[in-house]
Amino acid sequence: MAVTVLRHSPSLPRLFARAALSSGGRGGELPHRALRLLDVPVDRSNLLAYQRSCHLTGGDVLPHAYPHLLGFPLQVQLMADRSFPLPLPGLVHLENQVTVYRRLTADDRLDIRVQAADLRPHPKGATVDLLTDVEVAGERVWQGRSTYLRRGVRTPQAPPRPTGPELPDGPAAAVFRVPAGQGRAYARVSHDVNPIHLHPLTARALGFPRAIAHGMWSYARTLAILADATAGPSASHVWFARPVLLPSTVELVAGGRLDQPEGVVLGLRSAKDATVRHLTLRVTSR
Amino acid sequence: MAPSSQPRRAAVIGGNRIPFARANGTYAKAFNQDMLTAALDGLVARFGLAGESLGEVAAGAVLKHSRDFNLTRESVLGSSLAATTPAYDVQQACGTGLEATVLVANKVALRQVDSAVAGGADTASDAPIAVSEGLRETLLALNRARTAGQRAKALARIRPAHLVPDVPRNVEPRTGLSMGEHMAQTAARWAVSRLAQDELAAASHRNLAAAYERGFFDDLVTPFAGLSRDENLRPDSSVEKLARLKPVFGKGEGATMTAGNSTPLTDGASVVLLSSDEWAAERGLPVLAYVVDAQTAAVDYVTGQEGLLMAPAYALPRLLERHGMKLQDFELVEIHEAFASTVLCTLAAWESEDFCRTRLGLEAPIGELDRSRLNVNGSSLAAGHPFAATGGRIVASLAKMLHEKGTGARGLISICAAGGQGVMAILEAA
């Protein structure tokens, strides 16, 4: 596999523009290529902005899903390239998995590696996984697997993906308002300027009735209910369902215990209609 | 340890409070400091302490302006106590008043002070309103700016939406659910009936009204701002009247909690005087009761493992074990009526064999409480509940009630608090 070491983190707005202009004529196999970014320092002001945005306590310990933010530009660079078989615009974030091997802090210098894997047919199109591996001084410390769906040529005979656990029913453990500007606010933190998050008009142009919350934000905001418990060795798997349309009020439901093998199952559902599920999340401690 | 440093008993001499007012009622424009000072001055007048330098005053407020950073000390300076009386603020949500009492009782017991006042004040009317987070950040950036350019840049960041103020909400910061919504979930889990809640609320009003009628509060309450009784008290309250109210917490068919069986937002203040036996004897002040022991507990309510207001249920077995007592040994029990359902869920938990075994680790259930010993002179449902002032109200009232019962009578106080906490204390009649 060819490994390209980048000198600096690529600019997301530029990549999005390039991907939009080169989305036609994609196809074929996954590129045998990995991107690396070495010795990445943590920007404390960005870390604090992330913690504030996701209702986490400000501090030096990296939240469970935070390294995803640092690897995401590499994911986009890989997918924006013409060699990538699926066009980037319109990719749907279906699932995400994170494994934290050890507690990371803002003093750690991260070596980040991103590659694509598992291009496979899906009843509604095709899915691909983007793998993010983070090492510190040669030690594996964090892994992420983001699964994206490209809607397109339907493959009805393709095996459906295993769905997540049942959403715990019962009363809401927490309820919170997701304001209209949430997408823009998180875009300032994540630099993910995907127009579906920014404004009702740009979202409508891409087929959404209103702007939608970033999945990775909803994920982190849901995890925040477990406070510091997921910053250390732990694993999570999130299944995204219906997007959180902005603004809206959502309810968080919880079941299970972190000290049990099955772990905790968390869910986000609409406060207006409990049958509208936004995400299901399983967290286990390692 | 030298004999002089052996712990000693902390005595409750008496208490004073101002009548509690419904939010946006008679005390709508009163500050916490006004009310706490009034409660202190009433205590000073009652016990002849004008110009005296006490060991310390510990009190607090839950809803507090940033200007009130030194609320208790400022109240002492404005009172007729000597300016040489030290003071500090305490905050443990609704547990504040009782926790302050425990703190100063411990200092008396450890001979660090000979006399002390504990208390609290709260206003839900004169609430601290903050600017929005966006405006606050901008104003702080403006404050840090050193050049005209930096100032202009900071000011340019102000948006119309920033001008909407941030009003404090009665919700748990980690869950966004109000205390009533949390309680409604616990009430549903314990299947506490609407009727049982309304009966408890009606009894609270009936008992408080009767206590006022026979003059029980004559030496516990000082009028303030034209009010001489608790504004929320409805002597003619009845189960029938309460049954007409619509539920305000919980959802659908199973919703049982109404404005009548939940405490209203209230304004008020209370204080309690504690001392050593010697200090009281020197001044010829009779001792009502002693603080025997106290226990706090907390539960993990964030992911719904336990009800927000159930912590006192966990504190009790630790207290009972330390003193070789049973719940039934207490002649009087005061369970703060945050909601009627809070009291009923706590009692149900202690009666439940399953809860006592799996959650409290007990071999047998704590058992039933004789209801004729519970909140006999009314509690928060009738009096109201200015968060930090409730502890002082209960300590002073229970000390007096125990004193009426006779030497050695023991009473239990249970107060639940935001954040999944609970404070308990045992008093014993002198």
Side-chain angles (χ1 to χ4, degrees), chain B residues 224-245:
Chain B
F224 181 66
L227 205 59
S228 54
R229 282 192 181 190
D230 302 314
E231 205 168 41
N232 188 57
L233 174 60
R234 302 274 179 277
D236 58 347
S237 175
S238 67
V239 173
E240 293 71 34
K241 282 181 187 168
L242 288 165
R244 284 186 223 131
L245 299 172

Side-chain angles (χ1 to χ4, degrees), chain B residues 30-225:
Chain B
F31 295 163
N32 276 331
Q33 193 178 320
D34 299 338
M35 296 191 292
L36 186 57
T37 307
L40 262 179
D41 272 336
L43 187 83
V44 167
R46 180 160 300 134
F47 295 102
L49 303 174
E52 281 235 33
S53 185
L54 300 182
E56 69 179 22
V57 178
V62 176
L63 289 175
K64 198 160 110 171
H65 287 262
S66 53
R67 67 166 186 249
D68 283 338
F69 66 96
N70 224 353
L71 172 67
T72 310
R73 173 62 182 154
E74 291 300 325
S75 300
V76 167
L77 286 173
S79 76
S80 46
L81 285 171
T84 48
T85 301
Y88 57 94
D89 279 28
V90 179
Q91 208 275 47
Q92 198 181 27
C94 307
T96 302
L98 184 55
E99 187 65 87
T101 304
V102 173
L103 290 173
V104 304
N106 287 347
K107 284 207 182 182
V108 170
L110 291 176
R111 301 170 189 272
Q112 293 166 346
V113 296
D114 291 324
S115 62
V117 171
D122 251 297
T123 167
S125 308
D126 183 48
I129 290 182
V131 298
S132 71
E133 191 58 17
L135 184 57
R136 200 177 68 86
E137 280 175 10
T138 308
L139 294 174
L140 289 170
L142 190 64
N143 190 40
R144 284 190 295 265
R146 284 166 182 274
T147 67
Q150 287 170 338
R151 274 184 215 109
K153 205 174 153 195
L155 280 171
R157 296 214 313 253
I158 297 181
R159 299 283 173 272
H162 288 169
L163 302 179
V164 179
D166 198 4
V167 181
R169 298 190 307 148
N170 184 18
V171 299
E172 284 299 316
R174 283 182 191 276
T175 64
L177 295 173
S178 71
M179 202 168 261
E181 286 158 346
H182 271 288
M183 192 63 233
Q185 293 183 3
T186 314
R189 200 179 303 170
W190 285 98
V192 171
S193 77
R194 166 77 185 266
L195 179 64
Q197 294 177 52
D198 287 348
E199 281 172 351
L200 194 88
S204 188
H205 284 278
R206 195 168 57 238
N207 291 338
L208 186 73
Y212 268 109
E213 285 308 312
R214 67 166 188 278
F216 179 78
F217 291 111
D218 288 356
D219 58 357
L220 289 171
V221 174
T222 307
F224 181 66

